[in-house]
Amino acid sequence: MVKLIVGKKGTGKTKTLIEQVNAAVQTSKGCVICIEKGLTLNKDISHKVRLVDTDSYKVFDAATLFGFIAGIAASNYDITDIFLDSTLKICGADANLAEFLLKVDELTNDANIHFTATISMDPDECPAEIKKFF
């Protein structure tokens, strides 16, 4: 269950993500996880959310990010939501975003986890394979 927040830099993607994270923690009957690059959201999201910094765990491309997300999902059976900020900064501009998102979609569907990510890109320039996640 992948949902994307897509837009050019400065269009309010992170603000929207923060609002969704804080709303999810109010309604979730399980754990809410927020993954980011660096610790910039710690004052904006609820203390009830598990905030994870990819830099602390040496996550540097799409393959390691997928493994990281799979490990998080495997470690806790009651995760309801995973939010990811700055996807392209973590995965790298050359990443096969469509392949990554399809794998995450399969994983989160199997685990019944809502997954939301921000993508800094013009929505019109996104590959057709990922537009279904808008």
Side-chain angles (χ1 to χ4, degrees):
M1 295 181 253
V2 172
K3 178 182 172 197
L4 298 178
I5 303 169
V6 181
K8 292 182 180 179
K9 185 175 180 172
T11 57
K13 295 176 303 300
T14 298
K15 183 179 178 187
T16 300
L17 183 85
I18 290 167
E19 291 169 358
Q20 290 183 12
V21 168
N22 288 328
V25 79
Q26 296 298 320
T27 60
S28 174
K29 292 185 179 6
C31 294
V32 177
I33 311 291
C34 184
I35 302 169
E36 67 171 328
K37 183 170 178 59
L39 287 174
T40 58
L41 302 179
N42 57 347
K43 294 179 182 169
D44 297 315
I45 62 171
S46 170
H47 70 280
K48 296 176 183 176
V49 175
R50 172 75 193 269
L51 185 61
V52 183
D53 173 20
T54 57
D55 290 341
S56 298
Y57 296 96
K58 312 298 185 255
V59 177
F60 54 87
D61 63 13
T64 55
L65 180 58
F66 176 76
F68 190 68
I69 293 167
I72 288 172
S75 71
N76 193 340
Y77 68 91
D78 67 345
I79 294 173
T80 58
D81 300 87
I82 297 176
F83 294 89
L84 174 63
D85 193 29
S86 303
T87 305
L88 290 179
K89 285 184 183 177
I90 299 168
C91 291
D94 297 334
N96 185 338
L97 194 56
E99 181 181 324
F100 168 74
L101 291 171
L102 289 171
K103 287 171 59 176
V104 170
D105 188 48
E106 184 178 345
L107 172 73
T108 56
N109 282 334
D110 290 347
N112 198 28
I113 295 172
H114 296 98
F115 181 86
T116 305
T118 62
I119 308 277
S120 290
M121 181 184 291
D122 184 336
D124 296 330
E125 296 176 7
C126 287
E129 300 90 2
I130 68 169
K131 287 187 178 184
K132 70 178 185 174
F133 298 120
F134 287 11

